[in-house]
Amino acid sequence: MSIELYEHQGRISSALRDRLRSRRLAILHAPERSGKTLAVIDAIEGLNGVRRVLWITKKAAIGGIEGDLEKYGTRKAYTVVNYERLHKVEGDFDLIVIDEFHYAISSYPKSPAKAKIIRERWGELPAVLISATPAPESASQWFHPLWIFAAHPFSAFTNFYQWARVFVWKRQRQIMGRIINDYSQAKSEKVMDQIRPYLLQITRDELGFRYRPKVVPHYVTLSPRTQALIEMLKRDRVLRLPGGVVFAADTPIGLVNGCYQLECGCLKVGLDYHDTGEREMAEYIKKRWGDSEDVAIMCRWVGQRRIFEREFKKAMILSSHAHAEGVELSHIEHLIVASLDYSTARFQQRNARQASKQRKSPINVHILLSRGNVSEAVYQAVALKHMDFKARMFTGQWTG
């Protein structure tokens, strides 16, 4: 090892090794920016009989993991791959690490495709699961990440539906005129009783973080033209813009995305974004925080990012989807989310990009909204209700 770990990283490493030796499965639930990767690497490096390691993660996180492996000076062989390339992995391994496991293998009730691949190819291996947000919406999200492995605590159940008979209060709900089974109301304490022997949980307070992220909503007043365009699209489901540009919202998600894009000064037509010429969000940011290297702005829409890249010369412009995880922003004073991604897990991950033990000032994550529009509905879903945003949450206000 060519670096010195923090004391808490050493404790995490030792605890992970203990769980792997006794149970062959260890789950690390620790906050973002807490040095999880180096702690896991140290744990693996101290395991006898492990020579080849498969590390699965999100594409955006690969560079950081490979950097930590090099920084540590590892002696074992690591293959780091993103979820989308699992089918191309070759070779044999002695241990598997699934990083950000909430991202691709936590959906239910059907088995996620990526979970099936991992179970079929590497389900017999000892494993480490890592996430800062393991089950952000429901304890039902715990089943498939553990179902993958032979050592899982729910080994008596062959699929989610069998498991749900014991661990979930199943309900029926009517959505868009259809009756569906709702499995989101899991018996959380009963689930966690099974998981705790495998689980290592660390909090920011335990790690000595001085500041916690605080979400600050800001309401931006849209121009009369922007609001008129939104109302026209909601009413007609079709919008005709200058230059012969025609946008048709022929699905609920298309309508919601179109309305949200209009809030942000753009509209995706075909494969490209049309710039509406409105600049309410950009002007609000300039007036409140200015354009400096202390500012980072995250955008959901590529068209909005392009506008901001023209409007701002010094501020860092990022994606609120791709850069929600794996990006270090502790040096940034003002993080502004100009348009939100629809995932509550990414919302929580995104809010911690500035967190660091070395942080010397409070962390405020500024969210831009416009009252009564999609941005406010997304915020209420992912931030206040801790639910992934669905188009029906908003389109239902306009139907019936």
Short mmCIF file of all heavy atoms in Angstrom, two decimals, residues 162-187:
data_model
loop_
_atom_site.label_atom_id
_atom_site.label_comp_id
_atom_site.label_asym_id
_atom_site.label_seq_id
_atom_site.Cartn_x
_atom_site.Cartn_y
_atom_site.Cartn_z
N GLN A 162 -42.44 -14.82 -4.50
CA GLN A 162 -42.46 -15.68 -3.32
C GLN A 162 -42.02 -14.91 -2.09
O GLN A 162 -42.62 -15.02 -1.01
CB GLN A 162 -41.53 -16.88 -3.53
CG GLN A 162 -42.05 -17.93 -4.48
CD GLN A 162 -41.14 -19.14 -4.52
OE1 GLN A 162 -40.14 -19.21 -3.80
NE2 GLN A 162 -41.46 -20.11 -5.36
N TRP A 163 -40.96 -14.14 -2.24
CA TRP A 163 -40.43 -13.33 -1.14
C TRP A 163 -41.46 -12.32 -0.66
O TRP A 163 -41.63 -12.10 0.55
CB TRP A 163 -39.15 -12.64 -1.62
CG TRP A 163 -38.52 -11.71 -0.64
CD1 TRP A 163 -37.66 -12.03 0.37
CD2 TRP A 163 -38.64 -10.28 -0.60
NE1 TRP A 163 -37.25 -10.90 1.04
CE2 TRP A 163 -37.84 -9.81 0.46
CE3 TRP A 163 -39.36 -9.35 -1.37
CZ2 TRP A 163 -37.74 -8.45 0.78
CZ3 TRP A 163 -39.26 -8.00 -1.06
CH2 TRP A 163 -38.45 -7.57 0.02
N ALA A 164 -42.17 -11.71 -1.61
CA ALA A 164 -43.14 -10.66 -1.28
C ALA A 164 -44.30 -11.19 -0.42
O ALA A 164 -44.89 -10.43 0.37
CB ALA A 164 -43.68 -10.02 -2.56
N ARG A 165 -44.63 -12.46 -0.56
CA ARG A 165 -45.71 -13.02 0.27
C ARG A 165 -45.39 -12.93 1.76
O ARG A 165 -46.30 -12.87 2.60
CB ARG A 165 -45.95 -14.49 -0.11
CG ARG A 165 -46.55 -14.68 -1.49
CD ARG A 165 -46.61 -16.15 -1.86
NE ARG A 165 -46.91 -16.32 -3.27
CZ ARG A 165 -46.55 -17.37 -3.99
NH1 ARG A 165 -45.90 -18.38 -3.38
NH2 ARG A 165 -46.86 -17.46 -5.25
N VAL A 166 -44.11 -12.90 2.08
CA VAL A 166 -43.68 -12.84 3.48
C VAL A 166 -43.28 -11.43 3.90
O VAL A 166 -43.56 -11.01 5.02
CB VAL A 166 -42.48 -13.80 3.69
CG1 VAL A 166 -41.98 -13.72 5.14
CG2 VAL A 166 -42.87 -15.22 3.33
N PHE A 167 -42.69 -10.67 2.97
CA PHE A 167 -42.04 -9.41 3.35
C PHE A 167 -42.72 -8.14 2.82
O PHE A 167 -42.21 -7.04 3.05
CB PHE A 167 -40.58 -9.41 2.87
CG PHE A 167 -39.69 -10.38 3.61
CD1 PHE A 167 -39.46 -11.65 3.12
CD2 PHE A 167 -39.11 -10.01 4.83
CE1 PHE A 167 -38.65 -12.54 3.81
CE2 PHE A 167 -38.30 -10.89 5.53
CZ PHE A 167 -38.07 -12.16 5.01
N VAL A 168 -43.84 -8.27 2.12
CA VAL A 168 -44.48 -7.10 1.51
C VAL A 168 -45.98 -7.12 1.76
O VAL A 168 -46.61 -8.18 1.70
CB VAL A 168 -44.22 -7.06 -0.02
CG1 VAL A 168 -44.93 -5.86 -0.66
CG2 VAL A 168 -42.73 -7.00 -0.31
N TRP A 169 -46.56 -5.96 2.04
CA TRP A 169 -48.00 -5.79 2.04
C TRP A 169 -48.42 -5.42 0.61
O TRP A 169 -48.32 -4.27 0.20
CB TRP A 169 -48.44 -4.70 3.00
CG TRP A 169 -48.38 -5.10 4.45
CD1 TRP A 169 -49.16 -6.00 5.08
CD2 TRP A 169 -47.50 -4.57 5.45
NE1 TRP A 169 -48.82 -6.09 6.42
CE2 TRP A 169 -47.81 -5.22 6.67
CE3 TRP A 169 -46.48 -3.61 5.44
CZ2 TRP A 169 -47.13 -4.95 7.85
CZ3 TRP A 169 -45.81 -3.35 6.61
CH2 TRP A 169 -46.13 -4.01 7.79
N LYS A 170 -48.89 -6.39 -0.14
CA LYS A 170 -49.28 -6.14 -1.52
C LYS A 170 -50.60 -5.37 -1.56
O LYS A 170 -51.55 -5.71 -0.87
CB LYS A 170 -49.40 -7.46 -2.30
CG LYS A 170 -49.68 -7.26 -3.78
CD LYS A 170 -49.71 -8.58 -4.54
CE LYS A 170 -50.98 -9.34 -4.26
NZ LYS A 170 -51.13 -10.52 -5.14
N ARG A 171 -50.63 -4.36 -2.44
CA ARG A 171 -51.85 -3.58 -2.64
C ARG A 171 -52.17 -3.53 -4.13
O ARG A 171 -51.31 -3.82 -4.96
CB ARG A 171 -51.68 -2.15 -2.13
CG ARG A 171 -51.33 -2.03 -0.66
CD ARG A 171 -51.16 -0.58 -0.26
NE ARG A 171 -50.12 0.08 -1.05
CZ ARG A 171 -49.94 1.40 -1.09
NH1 ARG A 171 -50.73 2.19 -0.40
NH2 ARG A 171 -48.96 1.92 -1.81
N GLN A 172 -53.40 -3.17 -4.44
CA GLN A 172 -53.76 -2.93 -5.83
C GLN A 172 -54.09 -1.46 -6.02
O GLN A 172 -54.73 -0.84 -5.17
CB GLN A 172 -54.96 -3.80 -6.24
CG GLN A 172 -54.62 -5.27 -6.39
CD GLN A 172 -55.70 -6.05 -7.09
OE1 GLN A 172 -56.88 -5.81 -6.89
NE2 GLN A 172 -55.30 -7.01 -7.93
N ARG A 173 -53.58 -0.92 -7.14
CA ARG A 173 -53.80 0.49 -7.42
C ARG A 173 -54.26 0.64 -8.86
O ARG A 173 -53.90 -0.16 -9.74
CB ARG A 173 -52.51 1.28 -7.23
CG ARG A 173 -51.97 1.23 -5.81
CD ARG A 173 -50.65 1.94 -5.71
NE ARG A 173 -50.75 3.34 -6.08
CZ ARG A 173 -49.71 4.14 -6.28
NH1 ARG A 173 -48.49 3.67 -6.16
NH2 ARG A 173 -49.88 5.40 -6.59
N GLN A 174 -55.04 1.69 -9.11
CA GLN A 174 -55.47 2.00 -10.47
C GLN A 174 -54.62 3.13 -11.01
O GLN A 174 -54.57 4.22 -10.44
CB GLN A 174 -56.95 2.39 -10.50
CG GLN A 174 -57.46 2.63 -11.92
CD GLN A 174 -58.97 2.81 -11.96
OE1 GLN A 174 -59.65 2.62 -10.96
NE2 GLN A 174 -59.50 3.18 -13.10
N ILE A 175 -53.91 2.87 -12.11
CA ILE A 175 -53.04 3.86 -12.72
C ILE A 175 -53.34 3.92 -14.20
O ILE A 175 -53.27 2.90 -14.90
CB ILE A 175 -51.55 3.52 -12.49
CG1 ILE A 175 -51.24 3.55 -10.98
CG2 ILE A 175 -50.65 4.48 -13.23
CD1 ILE A 175 -49.83 3.14 -10.64
N MET A 176 -53.68 5.10 -14.67
CA MET A 176 -53.99 5.32 -16.09
C MET A 176 -55.04 4.30 -16.57
O MET A 176 -54.95 3.74 -17.67
CB MET A 176 -52.72 5.20 -16.95
CG MET A 176 -51.58 6.11 -16.52
SD MET A 176 -51.92 7.88 -16.74
CE MET A 176 -51.72 8.04 -18.51
N GLY A 177 -56.05 4.04 -15.72
CA GLY A 177 -57.14 3.17 -16.11
C GLY A 177 -56.88 1.69 -15.94
O GLY A 177 -57.75 0.86 -16.25
N ARG A 178 -55.68 1.30 -15.45
CA ARG A 178 -55.35 -0.12 -15.29
C ARG A 178 -55.16 -0.45 -13.82
O ARG A 178 -54.64 0.36 -13.06
CB ARG A 178 -54.09 -0.49 -16.07
CG ARG A 178 -54.22 -0.37 -17.57
CD ARG A 178 -53.01 -0.95 -18.29
NE ARG A 178 -51.76 -0.34 -17.86
CZ ARG A 178 -50.76 -1.00 -17.32
NH1 ARG A 178 -50.86 -2.30 -17.07
NH2 ARG A 178 -49.64 -0.37 -16.99
N ILE A 179 -55.55 -1.67 -13.43
CA ILE A 179 -55.32 -2.15 -12.07
C ILE A 179 -53.97 -2.86 -12.04
O ILE A 179 -53.73 -3.78 -12.83
CB ILE A 179 -56.43 -3.12 -11.62
CG1 ILE A 179 -57.80 -2.43 -11.66
CG2 ILE A 179 -56.12 -3.65 -10.22
CD1 ILE A 179 -57.93 -1.27 -10.68
N ILE A 180 -53.08 -2.42 -11.16
CA ILE A 180 -51.77 -3.06 -11.05
C ILE A 180 -51.51 -3.46 -9.59
O ILE A 180 -52.09 -2.90 -8.66
CB ILE A 180 -50.63 -2.14 -11.54
CG1 ILE A 180 -50.49 -0.93 -10.58
CG2 ILE A 180 -50.86 -1.68 -12.96
CD1 ILE A 180 -49.19 -0.19 -10.74
N ASN A 181 -50.66 -4.45 -9.41
CA ASN A 181 -50.23 -4.84 -8.07
C ASN A 181 -49.08 -3.93 -7.64
O ASN A 181 -48.12 -3.73 -8.38
CB ASN A 181 -49.76 -6.29 -8.05
CG ASN A 181 -50.90 -7.26 -8.23
OD1 ASN A 181 -52.00 -7.02 -7.76
ND2 ASN A 181 -50.64 -8.37 -8.91
N ASP A 182 -49.19 -3.39 -6.45
CA ASP A 182 -48.18 -2.48 -5.90
C ASP A 182 -47.43 -3.22 -4.78
O ASP A 182 -48.02 -3.60 -3.77
CB ASP A 182 -48.87 -1.24 -5.35
CG ASP A 182 -47.90 -0.22 -4.76
OD1 ASP A 182 -46.69 -0.54 -4.64
OD2 ASP A 182 -48.35 0.88 -4.39
N TYR A 183 -46.12 -3.41 -5.00
CA TYR A 183 -45.29 -4.13 -4.03
C TYR A 183 -44.35 -3.19 -3.26
O TYR A 183 -43.37 -3.64 -2.68
CB TYR A 183 -44.44 -5.19 -4.75
CG TYR A 183 -45.23 -6.30 -5.38
CD1 TYR A 183 -45.62 -6.24 -6.71
CD2 TYR A 183 -45.59 -7.42 -4.64
CE1 TYR A 183 -46.34 -7.27 -7.30
CE2 TYR A 183 -46.30 -8.46 -5.22
CZ TYR A 183 -46.68 -8.38 -6.55
OH TYR A 183 -47.39 -9.40 -7.13
N SER A 184 -44.66 -1.90 -3.26
CA SER A 184 -43.72 -0.94 -2.66
C SER A 184 -43.77 -0.91 -1.13
O SER A 184 -42.82 -0.45 -0.50
CB SER A 184 -43.99 0.47 -3.20
OG SER A 184 -45.29 0.90 -2.84
N GLN A 185 -44.87 -1.41 -0.54
CA GLN A 185 -45.03 -1.33 0.92
C GLN A 185 -44.40 -2.55 1.60
O GLN A 185 -45.08 -3.44 2.11
CB GLN A 185 -46.50 -1.20 1.28
CG GLN A 185 -47.16 0.05 0.75
CD GLN A 185 -46.50 1.30 1.28
OE1 GLN A 185 -46.30 1.45 2.49
NE2 GLN A 185 -46.13 2.21 0.40
N ALA A 186 -43.08 -2.59 1.58
CA ALA A 186 -42.38 -3.71 2.22
C ALA A 186 -42.41 -3.56 3.74
O ALA A 186 -42.54 -2.46 4.27
CB ALA A 186 -40.94 -3.77 1.72
N LYS A 187 -42.27 -4.69 4.42
CA LYS A 187 -42.20 -4.70 5.88
C LYS A 187 -40.74 -4.42 6.26
O LYS A 187 -39.94 -5.33 6.46
CB LYS A 187 -42.67 -6.04 6.41
CG LYS A 187 -44.10 -6.38 5.98
CD LYS A 187 -44.50 -7.80 6.35
CE LYS A 187 -45.89 -8.13 5.81
NZ LYS A 187 -46.29 -9.53 6.12
#
